[in-house]
Amino acid sequence: MMTEPTQYGFYVDSTKCTGCKACHVSCKDRQSNEIRNNSNPQDNTLPALNGVTWRRVYEYGGGEWTVGNNGCFEQNVFAYYMSIGCNHCSEPVCVKACPTGAMHKRREDGLVHVAEDICIGCESCSRACPYDAPQIDRERKVMTKCDGCFERIADGRKPVCVESCPLRALDFDTMDNLREKYGDGDGHIAPLPSPSITSPNLIIKANVNGSPAGSGEGSILNPSEV
C-alpha cells in the first residue's frame, strides 16, 4: 500500500536574524565534509567550492532621504536580513529543467537532491531556480545543492544551519508540524521571489520593514560569499 508522501521545509523568522552568517558558515563546513566523505579516501584534496554557498544571508534595504519645504530632512530608510537556501519546493522548476533526471524530489521526505553520478553539469537547473539553490562545482563539474541535511534528519536532529543559529531564527520540520507551530506565516518578503513560481516549502515571519516579495522596493546590499 502506498504511503502519503512526507514534506519537510524551513521556517525563517526575519525579526530575529542579525546577519551573523553562522548558518551560512556552518553549511559551508558541511559541504566540504560531505564531499570528503563521498570522495576517494586516498585523495586528500578538496574542491575550492568557489561560489558554492547553499545557504546565504542577504542584507536587504531601501528607502530614501528627502528634504521638506521647511528644510528638514525626512527618511523612510529600512534594512533587514534574510537567510536563504533551498526550499525543497512542491513544484521544483529545477527538477523540471533537468534533462537527465539527476535533479529529483524524494518521496520519503520531499527533499530535492542531485544524483551526481548522472549529472552532466549543464546548469539548466540553476538557470531555472529563482532561489539560486542549485550551484555548480566547477572542479568536479557537477551541480550541488542543499540536501536538507538528510542524514541528520534520519538521526532525529535538525540541519546544521538551524542548530548553529544563535538567535534561533531558523527551524526545520515537516510542513504539517511547522504550520501547527507557527501557522502560515506572514507571506514571502523581498529578496525572495513570488512563491507562486515553485510553491516553496517555506514559512516566513516577516520583519516589520519587510517588502513584499518581488516588489522591487529595495535591493540586496551585501551579496555574500564564503
Side-chain angles (χ1 to χ4, degrees):
M1 182 176 66
M2 293 289 288
T3 58
E4 287 297 314
T6 299
Q7 179 63 63
Y8 279 85
F10 283 100
Y11 168 79
V12 178
D13 185 344
S14 65
T15 70
K16 292 181 178 179
C17 182
T18 63
C20 72
K21 299 184 177 66
C23 59
H24 178 139
V25 175
S26 64
C27 179
K28 187 78 173 186
D29 284 344
R30 180 178 172 276
Q31 291 172 31
S32 297
N33 289 336
E34 285 299 296
I35 292 173
R36 182 183 290 109
N37 293 338
N38 294 329
S39 64
N40 185 342
Q42 305 302 318
D43 185 0
N44 293 322
T45 63
L46 281 174
L49 297 175
N50 291 329
V52 178
T53 49
W54 292 348
R55 179 158 291 277
R56 303 164 303 284
V57 178
Y58 293 135
E59 182 180 2
Y60 188 82
E64 60 184 359
W65 289 83
T66 58
V67 182
N69 294 332
N70 58 0
C72 293
F73 286 86
E74 297 180 356
Q75 57 86 18
N76 59 358
V77 174
F78 67 91
Y80 56 88
Y81 295 99
M82 176 61 69
S83 179
I84 299 177
C86 177
N87 300 306
H88 303 283
C89 304
S90 294
E91 300 293 335
V93 291
C94 60
V95 173
K96 295 177 182 178
C98 179
T100 68
M103 192 70 69
H104 61 284
K105 188 172 178 67
R106 297 171 17 139
R107 180 179 177 83
E108 62 267 35
D109 50 25
L111 299 178
V112 177
H113 280 203
V114 184
E116 293 186 355
D117 57 331
I118 59 174
C119 174
I120 59 175
C122 67
E123 300 187 62
S124 295
C125 57
S126 178
R127 288 189 290 271
C129 176
Y131 298 97
D132 194 30
Q135 298 173 8
I136 185 74
D137 179 343
R138 299 200 177 279
E139 292 180 58
R140 295 187 301 141
K141 297 180 174 59
V142 295
M143 297 307 297
T144 71
K145 66 175 298 298
C146 162
D147 57 15
C149 287
F150 67 99
E151 82 291 353
R152 296 170 63 89
I153 303 308
D155 289 338
R157 296 183 295 169
K158 300 282 188 179
V160 291
C161 60
V162 174
E163 291 193 348
S164 67
C165 178
L167 276 298
R168 300 296 182 258
L170 298 174
D171 201 357
F172 181 88
D173 207 330
T174 66
M175 290 303 293
D176 288 341
N177 288 344
L178 290 178
R179 290 191 184 99
E180 183 177 351
K181 188 174 181 180
Y182 302 109
D184 292 327
D186 297 321
H188 289 203
I189 58 176
L192 297 174
S194 169
S196 65
I197 301 172
T198 64
S199 299
N201 289 293
L202 174 67
I203 296 174
I204 297 287
K205 182 175 181 180
N207 185 283
V208 65
N209 294 310
S211 301
S215 66
E217 294 178 2
S219 60
I220 296 173
L221 304 179
N222 64 337
S224 53
E225 293 184 3
V226 171

